[in-house]
Amino acid sequence: MPTTSPAPRGAGGPSYAEVTASNASLRRFLHGLPGVDPVGLEARASALGTRSIKTTAKAFALDLAISMIDLTTLEGSDTVGKVRSLAGKALHPDPTDRTAPRVAALCVYPDMVATAKAAVAGSAVRVASVATAFPAGRAPLAVKLADTEGAIEAGADEIDMVIDRGAFLAGNYAKVYEEILAVREACGTRARLKVIFETGELSTYDNIRRASWLGMLGGADFIKTSTGKVGVNATPANTLLMLEAVRDFRRESGEQVGVKPAGGIRTAKDAVKFLVLVNETAGEDWLSNDWFRFGASSLLNDLLMQRQKLATGRYSGPDYVTVD
């Protein structure tokens, strides 16, 4: 895996200047995108999930999935000790097997960024921070920018922002776009930007497609399904739709954007299904942690258990992995 991330994207490229000029032009563009066939989308996602993975390929997929995890703790009860402990797991997921890859990033609240940064110092593990009034995204822009700036000043390598779903659902696309653009500018070259849509609140697949394009127009380095704080989070179908969006965006603009499904992905079997989606939809260029991530915590434990089973032919006892 690469040890450094690609440079953060610019925002609102010149070929889209007319599209982003006003709310009316954004509406015309977003509502002019091809409509989504829900039945067809879900059938394709389901069919790809049935692909069988052979032993050698499975070993590769398990290690790849581990390397793509944003190991996450986003609880009001988070402590310095918990973050340091999770950082240790990010650096050495399996203390008994140093061949196990490190995770991509450790994701925490802004006030825990400095602790996380110190704990992973000298490694390739990045520190990601949620920001912009996570998880609701309902705050004045000045507050969102201060949230972002504080996280970056504390050492965050990546910012996971949330869009204002109320504004989006009301059709105020310009407000959402301008906030993404402002956070993109606040990140500058210091941090990559992940834009969270909270797909479970967007109601339709058409809205998820529109949000994907809106995030990319605003300069997102990644588009992300969800906060993990609502009932419906990442699904194969909504992730497939977002993968189609980044694929099509690169064809049109030449710029590559990553995808991060988050919430509800708990087993190695599920993770492998998502990797198949990536390979079959966007292609091999997205099969690295520079362009695809899993927002997860408990997923890592099952990946480690399956990895050990593949190596030894048996499962370890319940104390083989740590409880996050």
Side-chain angles (χ1 to χ4, degrees), residues 16 43 53 60 70-72 105 114 150 152 158-159 162 170 198 224 253 296:
Y16 291 107
I53 304 295
F60 172 78
D70 282 0
L71 195 58
T72 302
I152 294 173
E158 301 172 354
I159 295 294
V162 285
E198 201 68 287
K224 178 177 171 182
S253 71

Side-chain angles (χ1 to χ4, degrees), residues 99-278:
T99 68
R102 292 173 173 173
V103 304
L106 181 60
C107 185
V108 295
Y109 275 116
D111 64 315
M112 289 292 173
V113 167
T115 297
K117 191 71 174 180
V120 300
S123 78
V125 176
R126 304 145 181 132
V127 173
S129 176
V130 296
T132 66
F134 178 94
R138 306 302 290 262
L141 179 58
V143 172
K144 294 181 179 183
L145 294 177
D147 204 22
T148 301
E149 186 65 36
I152 294 173
E153 287 296 322
D157 304 296
E158 301 172 354
I159 295 294
D160 289 32
M161 75 166 286
V162 285
I163 67 167
D164 182 338
R165 281 85 74 192
F168 179 90
L169 291 169
N172 194 349
Y173 302 126
K175 180 178 188 291
V176 179
Y177 168 77
E178 288 162 5
E179 290 196 347
I180 296 170
L181 191 65
V183 177
R184 164 76 277 156
E185 291 173 349
C187 289
T189 60
R190 299 176 295 170
R192 296 183 83 199
L193 175 63
K194 307 191 197 90
V195 177
I196 310 170
F197 304 136
E198 201 68 287
T199 50
E201 294 183 349
L202 295 188
S203 302
T204 69
Y205 289 129
D206 284 332
N207 276 340
I208 295 171
R209 174 169 283 171
R210 291 166 189 152
S212 297
W213 278 84
L214 192 57
M216 293 185 292
L217 290 172
D221 293 296
F222 274 79
I223 52 176
K224 178 177 171 182
T225 61
S226 26
T227 63
K229 302 295 185 182
V230 299
V232 178
N233 294 290
T235 68
N238 62 35
T239 303
L240 172 58
L241 183 56
M242 291 166 65
L243 287 164
E244 290 175 347
V246 298
R247 176 200 65 197
D248 295 345
F249 184 78
R250 190 175 75 167
R251 286 176 182 170
E252 291 199 14
S253 71
E255 294 191 59
Q256 188 162 342
V257 177
V259 175
K260 179 180 173 180
I265 306 170
R266 296 184 176 87
T267 69
K269 184 177 180 180
D270 287 339
V272 171
K273 289 179 180 180
F274 277 82
L275 293 181
V276 172
L277 288 179
V278 176

